[in-house]
Amino acid sequence: MRKKLAAAAAFLLAAVMLIGGCGKKVTVRSLLEDVQKKTESLGAMKSSVQFSTELERYAPFYYGQATLTADVDIEQTANPAASRIQGGMHQSGTVPEESLDIDSYTVVEGGRTVCYMKRMDQWVKQELGYDKEKMSLLDTSAGDLLTCVDDLKIDRMDKDANTGRPIYIITGTVEGTAVRDLMQSYHAVRDILEDSPGESFDDSYYSDLKIDIEYAVDKWKKLPLYLDMKFSGLDSIYPDDIKLDDTSLHTDYKSFNKIDQINVPDDVIKNAQDLGPIDGSKAAETE
């Protein structure tokens, strides 16, 4: 009787696991799609980003070497669409060393996306060319990684150091034009910062670029813990007198759905200098 009960229990457990999806084979694609689907239901997210690079500049009668780092905390909400970024950048190895504080709010006002940014001790206000739909999407990088899914693999299972929960570790190397597909949002940022909309680059621009990726995903929650990206070949996109080495970008996904709302303080709204649309023309409608 005991053997029959054990067999029945094992059969029932297997059936429950199968119904719950536990019996399906997990692939990089299915895992990233699960993360992306879960992300679409999120209302808020906290993350932090750390950037570092070693920079050398050669020029006639001049040589300079510096380490550039950045460390920012990011809060985002989907409805209403808003974000808050706080942190700083630091350049060491130069005389004098330089630091820059980062503090900004991005919100939707009157159907337009507006960024409030602190420059030195003065707040400024500027309309951005983002639409509301893009602003409302929280970014856990799963959608971007799906563009290069064939270059990735589930490398191993591990445990979250904080919770002990099982996690998948996805790794891979993305090269050449695949970097273009992965970093497709880069050009949108470039357009905004350099006021160069529509500029395009041929495939040779990416020929030497390479990114080593490590992405950790909670096995049961299907939400990411971190994304680590190490870049090489960046020299090809800069002038010959600039060299970059040991360039990395690391994102920690700290929490989800633990922010109610992001509000710009009244004194910031009142005192911010209005710089108008960032591209010098009418900003994109968001509604």
Side-chain angles (χ1 to χ4, degrees):
M1 176 64 71
R2 184 172 297 175
K3 289 184 178 180
K4 289 183 178 180
L5 286 174
F11 177 80
L12 180 60
L13 179 60
V16 170
M17 292 179 67
L18 185 60
I19 293 171
C22 300
K24 70 178 183 180
K25 180 180 179 181
V26 176
T27 65
V28 174
R29 182 179 296 278
S30 69
L31 188 55
L32 292 176
E33 287 176 345
D34 285 345
V35 173
Q36 185 68 1
K37 183 178 180 180
K38 191 70 176 288
T39 299
E40 292 171 358
S41 67
L42 294 175
M45 180 173 73
K46 287 185 179 181
S47 60
S48 65
V49 176
Q50 297 84 41
F51 170 82
S52 177
T53 189
E54 301 290 331
L55 184 148
E56 296 183 12
R57 182 165 186 175
Y58 300 84
F61 312 109
Y62 173 82
Y63 168 75
Q65 186 175 19
T67 299
L68 179 64
T69 60
D71 192 343
V72 297
D73 293 318
I74 303 171
E75 296 183 345
Q76 295 173 272
T77 58
N79 187 22
S83 67
R84 175 81 192 277
I85 300 177
Q86 290 180 288
M89 298 180 65
H90 184 74
Q91 181 173 289
S92 60
T94 56
V95 179
E97 295 189 358
E98 296 182 53
S99 295
L100 174 67
D101 291 332
I102 298 172
D103 196 355
S104 71
Y105 297 86
T106 303
V107 295
V108 176
E109 290 182 352
R112 300 184 185 280
T113 304
V114 176
C115 178
Y116 292 86
M117 180 180 294
K118 194 172 187 179
R119 294 183 177 176
M120 304 298 288
D121 294 324
Q122 172 67 49
W123 283 93
V124 298
K125 169 184 176 181
Q126 198 152 31
E127 294 179 17
L128 305 180
Y130 298 152
D131 61 38
K132 186 175 181 179
E133 182 178 354
K134 290 181 180 178
M135 269 285 293
S136 299
L137 296 176
L138 302 182
D139 183 15
T140 57
S141 299
D144 292 331
L145 292 175
L146 277 168
T147 66
C148 58
V149 65
D150 292 338
D151 297 311
L152 305 174
K153 65 179 181 179
I154 297 178
D155 185 73
R156 64 190 185 276
M157 293 290 298
D158 209 332
K159 285 187 178 181
D160 181 0
N162 295 318
T163 66
R165 296 171 63 89
I167 58 176
Y168 290 105
I169 304 296
I170 295 174
T171 63
T173 299
V174 181
E175 301 181 71
T177 55
V179 174
R180 174 196 59 203
D181 299 331
L182 174 61
M183 305 296 287
Q184 54 190 330
S185 61
Y186 165 76
H187 293 302
V189 175
R190 182 189 179 94
D191 290 347
I192 291 169
L193 295 180
E194 299 186 8
D195 194 20
S196 57
E199 185 173 352
S200 60
F201 303 91
D202 59 32
D203 290 351
S204 63
Y205 176 83
Y206 303 93
S207 60
D208 295 325
L209 295 182
K210 183 168 72 172
I211 306 176
D212 293 320
I213 293 170
E214 183 169 303
Y215 189 60
V217 177
D218 187 294
K219 180 178 180 180
W220 305 121
K221 291 186 176 182
K222 298 298 189 293
L223 286 171
L225 279 78
Y226 66 81
L227 170 63
D228 191 61
M229 306 174 76
K230 291 182 171 58
F231 298 79
S232 58
L234 289 172
D235 292 347
S236 64
I237 66 175
Y238 284 91
D240 291 340
D241 61 344
I242 295 179
K243 305 294 182 185
L244 295 179
D245 195 15
D246 293 332
T247 301
S248 64
L249 186 67
H250 182 87
T251 302
D252 285 308
Y253 301 95
K254 292 189 170 181
S255 68
F256 302 94
N257 290 342
K258 293 186 178 180
I259 307 169
D260 293 327
Q261 195 166 347
I262 296 172
N263 297 310
V264 184
D266 291 339
D267 63 320
V268 172
I269 296 175
K270 180 181 178 180
N271 297 314
Q273 178 186 359
D274 192 346
L275 302 181
I278 201 165
D279 61 357
S281 61
K282 186 176 180 181
E285 294 283 353
T286 61
E287 292 184 337

